[in-house]
Amino acid sequence: MKLVRHGEWGAERPALIDDQGTLRYLSGHIADITPQTLSPQGLDALRRLDPATLPAISGRPRLGVPLAGIGNVIGIGLNYRDHAAEANLPVPTEPIVFNKHTGSLSGPNDPIVMPRGATKLDWEVELGVVIGSVARHVSPADALSHVAGYLVCHDVSERAFQFDRGGQWVKGKSSPTFCPVGPWLVTADEIPDPQALGLWCEVNGTMRQNGSTSGMIFDVATLISHLSQFMALLPGDLIATGTPAGVGWGKGTFLAPGDVVRLGVDGLGEQRQEIVVER
Ligand code: ZN
């Protein structure tokens, strides 16, 4: 299933995308798409619906974050060999874990707001993993059973805040609109192998990143198992699993107002954002 939320910011309503790509209302069946929706029982109830019986949505409404109530956004740094190489940093021996403030979440096609003082705004296409059930001390073999679904995650970064100001990476990762997600939350049954997905990002029509999740240093199962040693991953938590080579930081080129970024992951859809300035 491909779950979406549509409508104005803060007033989004639940929907799904059927096999023909038609957006269909779920409002008659659930009030919203929440961590409870992602439980096995919640997803089973939605699977029993015949999409053809759901009213189609006309036009092209704004799409929001496809899941309400995301409690934590956990980022993984330098998780692709080619990206660690372009950053001139050693391949990590353990996952590099950081936070993105949930206030950074935004819809897949909402503008990215360049914050005051930003000078090194950068792009990072990533596979986003959404947790469906509590994961604490899980083995890699059991880890994927805790995944409800996957989505495209844009881990927008302000490198000056991240690297030039000291302290932790969270400062460069958390401005409002720094975490566009979606367009869809694709349930895990549709993604049998999360390590076999192409992912790409282009800026103003020029391809900048073109990789595969097969290039991860720590795969999704290892990341979940690792994180679950230090925290209880909760339903609705989002893990941004790292980005392949080709970010602006590697070449010293960054985003400017008016630039347009497009990015996508195989099977999970595409995003498009224009860069605007914070007022
Ligand atoms: Zn990242």
Side-chain angles (χ1 to χ4, degrees):
M1 264 185 312
K2 295 181 174 68
L3 302 173
V4 300
R5 294 169 69 246
H6 65 99
E8 294 305 304
W9 188 297
E12 292 90 348
R13 293 190 295 168
L16 58 72
I17 305 273
D18 70 16
D19 290 342
Q20 286 70 46
T22 304
L23 197 57
R24 291 182 179 273
Y25 286 107
L26 279 174
S27 307
H29 298 274
I30 51 174
D32 205 347
I33 297 167
T34 68
Q36 284 81 27
T37 315
L38 304 182
S39 69
Q41 300 87 332
L43 290 177
D44 282 350
L46 292 181
R47 286 198 183 92
R48 282 196 292 271
L49 299 173
D50 177 3
T53 65
L54 303 170
I57 298 170
S58 57
R60 298 189 60 186
R62 170 187 174 270
L63 298 181
V65 176
L67 171 66
I70 294 175
N72 294 284
V73 181
I74 298 154
I76 304 296
L78 301 176
N79 196 31
Y80 285 75
R81 278 172 208 286
D82 54 0
H83 178 52
E86 77 176 340
N88 267 326
L89 290 167
V91 170
T93 53
E94 284 212 11
I96 294 172
V97 178
F98 63 91
N99 267 94
K100 286 176 81 74
H101 191 276
T102 54
S104 63
L105 289 161
S106 60
N109 303 311
D110 292 340
I112 292 171
V113 180
M114 192 171 183
R116 292 179 195 171
T119 56
K120 299 178 180 176
L121 189 68
D122 205 351
W123 57 86
E124 292 189 355
V125 61
E126 306 203 1
L127 172 65
V129 177
V130 177
I131 297 295
S133 58
V134 177
R136 176 71 173 153
H137 298 306
V138 299
S139 68
D142 288 338
L144 294 185
S145 69
H146 295 274
V147 175
Y150 299 92
L151 39 70
V152 182
C153 179
H154 190 177
D155 179 18
V156 182
S157 308
E158 168 50 42
R159 303 300 188 192
F161 296 177
Q162 182 184 2
F163 292 124
D164 301 348
R165 300 285 297 273
Q168 298 193 333
W169 289 9
V170 61
K171 293 191 296 187
K173 299 283 192 172
S174 293
S175 295
T177 74
F178 269 27
C179 194
V181 291
W184 317 312
L185 170 60
V186 180
T187 51
D189 56 297
E190 294 195 13
I191 307 293
D193 183 0
Q195 307 308 142
L197 305 175
L199 69 175
W200 57 272
C201 178
E202 59 175 51
V203 180
N204 299 329
T206 301
M207 192 67 85
R208 297 292 189 177
Q209 295 185 277
N210 195 2
S212 164
T213 56
S214 64
M216 285 187 192
I217 297 166
F218 304 104
D219 64 16
V220 173
T222 301
L223 291 174
I224 291 170
S225 174
H226 180 79
L227 291 168
S228 80
Q229 296 175 38
F230 306 107
M231 62 191 83
L233 292 169
L234 302 177
D237 282 354
L238 169 62
I239 304 168
T241 57
T243 200
V247 301
W249 183 42
K251 294 196 166 53
T253 52
F254 299 104
L255 294 166
D259 286 351
V260 173
V261 185
R262 289 179 60 238
L263 58 149
V265 179
D266 290 352
L268 305 181
E270 292 184 22
Q271 304 184 349
R272 179 192 183 280
Q273 297 110 20
E274 184 174 348
I275 311 303
V276 301
V277 185
E278 184 170 23
R279 292 174 194 273

